[in-house]
Amino acid sequence: MSVKHQPLVQMVVRIAGFILLAAIAYYTVEFSDFLNGLKKLSLPAIAILLFLGTVDRFIMAYKWHLLCQALGMTTPFHRYLSIYYVSTFIGYTLPTSMGAEVYRVARLGRTESGTAVFASMFMERLVGAISNIFFAWGGALYLSISIQSENMDTLFTLLIGSTILVILVTIASFHPSLHRFTLDIAKRLKFGLLLQKFTTAYAEFGNQKRALITNIGWGIIETGLQLIMLTGVAVALQVELSITILLAIIGITEFIRRVAVILDGWGLATALQLFMYGLVGLNGAEALLIALLGHALLFFSGLPGGLILLLDRWEDKHAHPEN
C-alpha cells in the first residue's frame, strides 16, 4: 500500500468502526441506563481523572524524548511535550489518526532526521505493547482463577495471538540479519534511500539496550496509569464489579488494542472495548460509558494542544510572512 493512500484507508476503517459501534450500541445499550450512568459522575472525580490524563501526556512525551535521545537527537524535552500535545489534539479531532503521526514527524523533522523520528515512533509503539504484556497476562491469569466463564477461550485466543505478534516483531526488530536483508532490498527500490535511512536508524536501537529497558520501565508506569484511569471511570460510574476484575479485563483489552494498530480512535477501539468488557459481565451501557469517557478524558487532556497548534501557526506565519 502506498503511503499516500494510508490516510484514506485509515479514514475508511475508522468510519466503518463508527458504523459498527453504532450498530453494537443500538442493540446492546439501554439509553436510559446510559443517561443514569452519566448522572453518577461527580466533578471531583472528573477533575482527578483529568489530572491523571495530564500526567499521562507528560509521561508519554518523556518516553518518546528518551527514545529520540537514544538515536542522538538533542531537541529539548519541552518541544517533545508541545508536539505530543498537538498530536493528541489532532489524533482525537481528525477522522484519521495518521494526521497525528504525520505532524510529529514533520514538526520534529524540522530540526532532526525525519526517518530517525519515524523510527523512534515505530519503536515507541513496540515498547508500549511490550510494557502492556505484563498487565495483560497478569489480568488473564487472575480472571481464569476468579471467574468461570465460557468466554475465557475467546479471551485467551485473542491474547495469545496478540502476544505471538509482539514477540515476532520484537525478534525482527533486533535481528541483524533482517536489517541487512532490508538494506539489500532497499537498494533495489525507487524509494530505497528512505528505507535505508529508516532501517539504519531503527537498527541503532539494538545498541541502546539500557535506554530501551528504561523506556519499558516508564512504559509500565504509563500503562499502569492508563489502567487506573479507566478503572477510575468505572468506579466513578459505580459499576458493580470488583476493581481487580476491572483492572484485569482493561489490561487485556488495552494490550490487544495497542497490538492491533488499526484499532485506533473512537470507532473500532470502542467496539473492541464493548466486546471485551462484556466478557466479564458489564452491560452495554456500562461498557460504552467506560470506553467513551476514557477517550473523552484523553481528548480533554489534549485540548492545550489546540492552543499550541494555533501559536505554532502564528509563529510560522510571522517567521515567513510571504506564506
Side-chain angles (χ1 to χ4, degrees), residues 36-73:
N36 289 333
L38 278 178
K39 294 175 183 177
K40 295 176 182 178
L41 289 174
S42 65
L43 287 178
I46 293 172
I48 292 172
L49 292 170
L50 283 174
F51 171 75
L52 292 177
T54 300
V55 174
D56 177 74
R57 295 300 90 186
F58 272 77
I59 295 177
M60 292 285 283
Y62 184 63
K63 283 169 52 195
W64 184 36
H65 171 59
L66 291 179
L67 288 174
C68 290
Q69 274 191 328
L71 296 182
M73 301 184 205

Side-chain angles (χ1 to χ4, degrees), residues 64 68 71-75 80 104-121 193-194 196-198 200-202:
W64 184 36
C68 290
L71 296 182
M73 301 184 205
T74 58
T75 300
Y80 290 91
R104 288 168 66 185
V105 174
R107 197 64 183 176
L108 189 56
R110 293 182 180 184
T111 55
E112 307 286 358
S113 164
T115 49
V117 173
F118 185 69
S120 73
M121 291 163 55
L193 182 59
L194 284 176
Q196 287 181 56
K197 289 182 178 180
F198 170 81
T200 302
Y202 193 73

Side-chain angles (χ1 to χ4, degrees), residues 77-96:
F77 170 68
H78 70 84
R79 289 302 299 159
Y80 290 91
L81 184 61
S82 65
I83 291 171
Y84 219 100
Y85 260 108
V86 174
S87 68
T88 299
F89 176 77
I90 292 174
Y92 279 91
T93 52
L94 293 183
T96 168

Side-chain angles (χ1 to χ4, degrees), residues 2 18 33 82 98 100 118 194 207 249 307:
S2 66
F18 273 114
D33 292 341
S82 65
M98 181 64 72
F118 185 69
L194 284 176
N207 300 320
I249 193 61
L307 178 60

